[in-house]
Amino acid sequence: MIGNLKPLEIVLIVLVILLLFGAKKLPDMARSLGKSARILKSEAKQMKKDGDDGETGTGTGASADSQQAPRTIQAAPGDVASSRPVTEPANQKQQNQSS
């Protein structure tokens, strides 16, 4: 369907979007969409990595998790204001016990 659009139709769609959202909000919307996509991609990679670790069957999964530093999801490179630590139930229990 997108391949069937003519250049004039694309220009009209862009103009309608500009009129609806305004030029000031578009960069913010694009930035948030990029952050969301980046977070989704990193979480999908982490889930795949966690799934691969669980399938090895070595039995050392709990000890390996306790030795690792807590993961941090960073929304954008260099943007420390929006980064947040990932709280995992296993790490949280260990931190409470050691405190």
Side-chain angles (χ1 to χ4, degrees):
M1 178 171 176
I2 294 176
N4 296 336
L5 292 178
K6 297 176 185 172
L8 181 61
E9 293 170 343
I10 293 173
V11 170
L12 287 174
I13 291 171
V14 169
L15 283 174
V16 168
I17 291 173
L18 272 172
L19 289 173
L20 286 176
F21 296 108
K24 291 183 180 181
K25 288 187 180 180
L26 284 178
D28 293 334
M29 290 173 54
R31 195 172 299 117
S32 352
L33 183 65
K35 285 181 182 181
S36 300
R38 197 172 300 122
I39 290 171
L40 179 67
K41 184 178 178 181
S42 68
E43 287 297 317
K45 282 183 180 179
Q46 187 63 36
M47 286 176 62
K48 185 175 181 182
K49 182 181 174 185
D50 288 346
D52 290 344
D53 290 344
E55 292 175 3
T56 57
T58 58
T60 59
S63 63
D65 288 342
S66 64
Q67 293 174 358
Q68 292 179 352
R71 298 185 334 238
T72 301
I73 298 175
Q74 190 170 2
D79 184 15
V80 292
S82 61
S83 63
R84 58 180 173 81
V86 177
T87 56
E88 297 176 355
N91 291 343
Q92 204 171 33
K93 290 177 186 176
Q94 290 173 352
Q95 289 175 354
N96 291 340
Q97 291 174 354
S98 64
S99 296

